[in-house]
Amino acid sequence: ATVLDLLADFTDRADRAGLNQSVRLDLLAQSSAVRDLISQSLGFGEVSAFTTAPQHWRVQETAFAGFWRVLQVSDDGRFIRDRLETGTIPKVLAEAMLACAADTLAAPSYPAGCMNAQALVEEIRLQATDWRPGKATHTINLSLLPVSDADLDTLYAWLGHREVSILSRGYGNCRITSTRLKNVWWVQYFNSMDTLILNSIEIGDMPEVALAAGDDFSDSIMRLREYCEMMAENA
């Protein structure tokens, strides 16, 4: 009954708040049995993520889009925070990117064999400087551009793969990583053989492929209510 009450109340609060206003439920205050039952009830969704700095966060979408399990782990492996959270994606991921990335990056050196690296670097620097919250994401699809191996090596070395890693299995296997530059993300799609099939750079607060959509969130609210009603009848 405790788990059903918690989930029913949380679902009602989430419905009232809507997708763009996060609500939270602290699970660390609950018994391990309650936490296990909530995990079993909510299952696992398509998006997972972790951060390596400045804190260690683990994020897992539940089977209900827009409902997330968010855990903070101490250096010795203890859970410092454990909560359910609603929203397009938990804010701790963007906050980690902003805390660790730089506002500007000096241009790299360009080795022999570079074709378009210099133009791409200047485009990324300009878009990153100009981007503001609410502005549309700017996407550079490297797979559609004439780029040499030297171009890609230069971009990888300059931007790096950094503290925030997100995996979305909704559209094939999509891996998203933050870079050394604020609001700049690698977004890379792999096929079932783990071969890179689409390689892009996105400048924005968070790549859209990782975000829960409004329609899916509404569906989650409805399905969670049905689940709670069904379990209450069978209790």
Side-chain angles (χ1 to χ4, degrees):
T2 306
V3 171
L4 286 180
D5 291 342
L6 283 172
L7 287 179
D9 177 67
F10 186 68
T11 304
D12 287 342
R13 288 198 291 129
D15 191 18
R16 289 193 297 271
L19 182 61
N20 295 319
Q21 196 172 346
S22 179
V23 297
R24 295 175 176 181
L25 172 62
D26 180 17
L27 297 180
L28 213 55
Q30 306 297 325
S31 69
S32 58
V34 167
R35 293 202 304 273
D36 289 345
L37 273 171
I38 286 177
S39 296
Q40 293 167 23
S41 300
L42 296 181
F44 296 95
E46 295 169 342
V47 179
S48 58
F50 65 90
T51 71
T52 57
Q55 292 96 26
H56 298 286
W57 291 95
R58 295 182 196 168
V59 169
Q60 175 65 57
E61 186 181 35
T62 71
F64 300 88
F67 286 72
W68 306 83
R69 188 75 172 266
V70 181
L71 301 116
Q72 185 184 359
V73 187
S74 68
D75 290 338
D76 62 6
R78 290 179 301 107
F79 290 135
I80 304 170
R81 290 187 177 88
D82 180 1
R83 64 180 181 245
L84 280 181
E85 186 174 318
T86 62
T88 52
I89 197 166
K91 288 184 172 57
V92 293
L93 300 178
E95 288 168 357
M97 176 271 294
L98 292 172
C100 295
D103 290 313
T104 58
L105 279 182
S109 57
Y110 300 102
C114 282
M115 294 167 46
N116 287 313
Q118 188 167 357
L120 288 167
V121 165
E122 292 312 312
E123 180 181 356
I124 293 164
R125 292 172 79 195
L126 176 65
Q127 291 292 335
T129 300
D130 286 351
W131 192 86
R132 297 289 181 273
K135 190 175 180 181
T137 296
H138 181 79
T139 301
I140 301 169
N141 190 337
L142 298 173
S143 299
L144 297 179
L145 294 174
V147 288
S148 65
D149 287 344
D151 287 331
L152 290 174
D153 289 345
T154 299
L155 288 175
Y156 286 134
W158 180 59
L159 288 174
H161 286 255
R162 302 296 287 183
E163 290 83 4
V164 183
S165 297
I166 305 168
L167 178 64
S168 174
R169 297 180 180 85
Y171 303 89
N173 201 359
C174 178
R175 296 177 199 166
I176 301 163
T177 50
S178 62
T179 70
R180 296 171 61 211
L181 191 55
K182 279 184 182 174
N183 300 308
V184 178
W185 305 84
W186 287 109
V187 181
Q188 299 173 309
Y189 291 82
F190 296 81
N191 65 14
S192 57
M193 304 296 289
D194 210 33
T195 301
L196 181 63
I197 56 175
L198 182 62
N199 192 13
S200 63
I201 293 167
E202 291 192 18
I203 297 103
D205 58 350
M206 185 63 63
E208 189 173 345
V209 65
L211 303 180
D215 289 348
D216 292 336
F217 182 67
S218 299
D219 181 63
S220 293
I221 296 285
M222 184 176 68
R223 289 191 297 119
L224 264 171
R225 284 202 168 120
E226 289 173 352
Y227 172 81
C228 288
E229 289 168 4
M230 180 189 71
M231 294 303 290
E233 287 172 4
N234 295 329

